[in-house]
Amino acid sequence: MSGKSADVIPEIVIGRLPLYLRALRRLQNDRRRVTSSQELGERLEISSAQIRKDLSHFGGFGKQGTGYQVEFLIERLEAVLHVNKEWLVAVVGAGNLGSAISQYRGFQDRGFRIAHLFDISPNKIGARLGDFVVRPLDSLETTIRSEGIRIAMLAVPAENAQSVADQLVAAGIKAILNYAPININVPDQVQIQYIDPVTHLQRMTYYLDD
């Protein structure tokens, strides 16, 4: 991942916080009011000691012997991750993947809202996909700047990913989730994460018998 680390907190710790938040929300949905590092560890297959150590980076969240208040810990982790507010997200690429991403409802109650869907194809621009009318790529910079959008998802072919990423950065985007199967270069101050299902499949097949 490119970009500066968050203060002195190890990046691997930041990466585990969304897992804790997801487990806590499931507990909340089950009407649980209190949990423990032991229970969270069993759910996530992470040691309870590791969970306690991770959370200690951000202050005291519970008392020994009494566990964690689920609602309170959710609120604290949302604040740490800055998802106690709504972030607007631009999706670039209105193909099958981009269309599916833009219509996925799981973002809305997790701090994110897809704001716009962009594409370069004349056959797609102006078409309605779910709640969105596909916007032309040449309107990207104006739209992002005028609406203060800071996050983008990139769902374009690999050969176009770098040039589109350059446009996003120039427009003021500070975080990119890249679905294109290629690494792209961004300035240090821009956060980037990669999602490539093929690489994850290849990791798993290593452990399978021929």
Side-chain angles (χ1 to χ4, degrees), residues 5 105 121 132 147 203:
S5 59
R105 301 299 182 186
S121 171
F132 300 94
E147 299 189 19
R203 289 181 189 178

Side-chain angles (χ1 to χ4, degrees), residues 20-36:
Y20 302 156
L21 186 56
R22 183 177 64 187
L24 287 162
R25 282 175 170 149
R26 288 178 176 172
L27 287 168
Q28 187 181 49
N29 289 339
D30 292 337
R31 301 180 183 276
R32 294 285 304 281
R33 298 180 62 185
V34 178
T35 188
S36 66

Side-chain angles (χ1 to χ4, degrees), residues 25 53 88 105-106 111 124 141 147 153 165 190 196:
R25 282 175 170 149
K53 182 178 179 180
L88 299 180
R105 301 299 182 186
K124 295 175 182 175
E141 182 169 356
E147 299 189 19
M153 295 186 187
V190 176
D196 182 359

Side-chain angles (χ1 to χ4, degrees), residues 116-127:
H116 297 288
L117 179 60
F118 296 90
D119 203 279
I120 198 171
S121 171
N123 295 328
K124 295 175 182 175
I125 293 170

Side-chain angles (χ1 to χ4, degrees), residues 188-206:
D188 287 344
Q189 68 270 22
V190 176
Q191 298 292 316
I192 184 164
Q193 291 281 354
Y194 296 92
I195 296 181
D196 182 359
V198 173
T199 60
H200 291 287
L201 287 169
Q202 289 171 337
R203 289 181 189 178
M204 292 191 294
T205 53
Y206 169 83

